[in-house]
Amino acid sequence: MESLRSKAKEYLRQQDWERAETCYTLLIERNPQEIDLYMQRQGVFFQQRRYDQAIQDLETILDVTEEERDSPRIFYRAEAFALRASYLTYIFSDYEEALQSSNRALELFQKLVEENPTEYAGNLINQYYRHGDILREVGELKQAKRVLSIGLEFCIALLKHDLPKNVKNRLENKKREGLMQRGEINEDLQKWRSAIEDYKELGDYLGEYCIGKLFFSKGKIASAKRYLLLALSRGIEQEEEYTDILEMLYVLSNFAKKKEEQEN
């Protein structure tokens, strides 16, 4: 059993999905009540784009964990609802069912946080963000912003406490993720000042890059150039963003030249 389990993990590492599937299927036949095996196999099905079978494994998890007896079972149940919501949203476009599934995941993660805030806080914040993404996908932008803001504010409140360094680092990353997402939703809502406030709170090149892009899209040449150059001066981590900034600065430079020529 352990040898087969080790092989399954190795095949996952090698991205050998067919062999990984075979191993997990054999493991499930030997121990059909072990919830994590279904969770692992659905991930393999996802990689193979066999979404119907992936959802079926999630449904099995929901059946097995129907009696919410302990935190591990509740956790798997919450994750299954959350993943099911993602499949229903982005693969099957069943938004109504997706939102119901996502809501159920939120309820379960809230229950877990009440029992153990430190261990499950990140999962709850994640689910608020996921739920906001689904609402954004269906065009419910104001509601998406409200839900995402609840998760972000919860994250910020937790960061005020004395936490282990690794937990604090994870929460800082979640805060940044939330600020980015809310900034994008504010842009969708055409709330430019609110978007800029969110991006500024990032406090690094990424925030300045996003503000520069926003001003660029609005044709604000001087402001766009200022923030894009600020982002460059801080050092860019992603090559794609670096290239994007250079392209925008090139366009802005040409635009400024043409404007100057017209004035002369």
Side-chain angles (χ1 to χ4, degrees):
M1 185 90 168
E2 288 307 313
S3 173
L4 190 57
R5 199 183 299 270
S6 297
K7 284 182 179 178
K9 289 179 180 177
E10 180 59 23
Y11 290 140
L12 281 182
R13 191 186 66 78
Q14 295 173 3
Q15 299 185 5
D16 188 338
W17 310 122
E18 288 185 15
R19 286 194 173 99
E21 179 199 338
T22 300
C23 288
Y24 281 118
T25 299
L26 288 170
L27 286 164
I28 286 169
E29 287 172 0
R30 296 179 189 183
N31 193 356
Q33 295 301 308
E34 188 172 340
I35 304 166
D36 188 61
L37 298 175
Y38 296 99
M39 188 63 80
Q40 295 296 333
R41 192 174 67 174
Q42 73 80 27
V44 172
F45 285 142
F46 173 78
Q47 294 294 340
Q48 296 173 306
R49 300 187 178 184
R50 291 159 63 187
Y51 305 122
D52 287 315
Q53 287 162 285
I55 281 238
Q56 187 54 56
D57 273 351
L58 294 175
E59 298 288 357
T60 301
I61 293 171
L62 294 176
D63 289 339
V64 172
T65 60
E66 193 166 4
E67 293 183 16
E68 300 167 7
R69 293 197 298 262
D70 51 41
S71 292
R73 292 171 75 83
I74 296 171
F75 173 77
Y76 277 115
R77 189 168 178 78
E79 274 295 300
F81 272 121
L83 287 168
R84 181 174 179 270
S86 293
Y87 281 116
L88 290 169
T89 301
Y90 303 109
I91 306 298
F92 299 104
S93 301
D94 187 347
Y95 302 118
E96 184 177 351
E97 187 66 27
L99 284 168
Q100 289 177 13
S101 191
S102 183
N103 265 322
R104 189 73 184 102
L106 263 178
E107 291 168 3
L108 291 168
F109 281 126
Q110 285 166 348
K111 184 176 180 179
L112 287 167
V113 166
E114 287 171 9
E115 296 174 6
N116 191 332
T118 304
E119 186 170 351
Y120 297 109
N123 300 103
L124 177 57
I125 294 164
N126 252 347
Q127 190 54 34
Y128 276 119
Y129 292 177
R130 286 168 169 173
H131 197 72
D133 279 341
I134 296 172
L135 288 165
R136 187 181 179 193
E137 186 75 12
V138 300
E140 296 287 347
L141 296 178
K142 289 182 180 179
Q143 200 174 346
K145 180 180 174 180
R146 183 185 65 80
V147 169
L148 194 147
S149 293
I150 293 171
L152 180 56
E153 286 161 15
F154 177 54
C155 181
I156 292 169
L158 286 173
L159 282 166
K160 293 176 182 176
H161 295 278
D162 187 19
L163 300 167
K165 188 176 180 181
N166 62 326
V167 175
K168 195 154 192 170
N169 287 341
R170 286 200 301 270
L171 288 174
E172 286 287 358
N173 288 333
K174 286 293 159 196
K175 177 185 172 184
R176 288 173 55 77
E177 183 184 339
L179 288 168
M180 277 291 297
Q181 286 183 244
R182 195 170 67 182
E184 289 169 1
I185 292 173
N186 277 319
E187 285 197 59
D188 292 342
L189 289 166
Q190 298 186 357
K191 292 185 177 293
W192 316 121
R193 288 184 182 178
S194 296
I196 289 169
E197 285 172 12
D198 283 333
Y199 295 144
K200 277 185 176 179
E201 204 169 334
L202 290 170
D204 62 4
Y205 85 90
L206 187 58
E208 283 148 2
Y209 165 66
C210 291
I211 295 171
K213 278 184 72 175
L214 192 159
F215 280 127
F216 180 84
S217 70
K218 304 306 294 177
K220 303 289 185 181
I221 298 172
S223 296
K225 185 176 179 181
R226 176 189 164 207
Y227 279 99
L228 292 172
L229 288 173
L230 272 172
L232 275 181
S233 70
R234 286 180 181 260
I236 308 298
E237 294 177 7
Q238 301 294 328
E239 184 178 344
E240 185 180 344
E241 291 164 356
Y242 182 78
T243 303
D244 195 26
I245 288 173
L246 290 181
E247 287 176 354
M248 285 189 283
L249 287 171
Y250 177 76
V251 170
L252 290 171
S253 176
N254 282 344
F255 187 83
K257 284 179 183 177
K258 286 179 181 178
K259 189 176 179 182
E260 188 178 340
E261 288 170 1
Q262 287 171 355
E263 288 173 353
N264 292 333

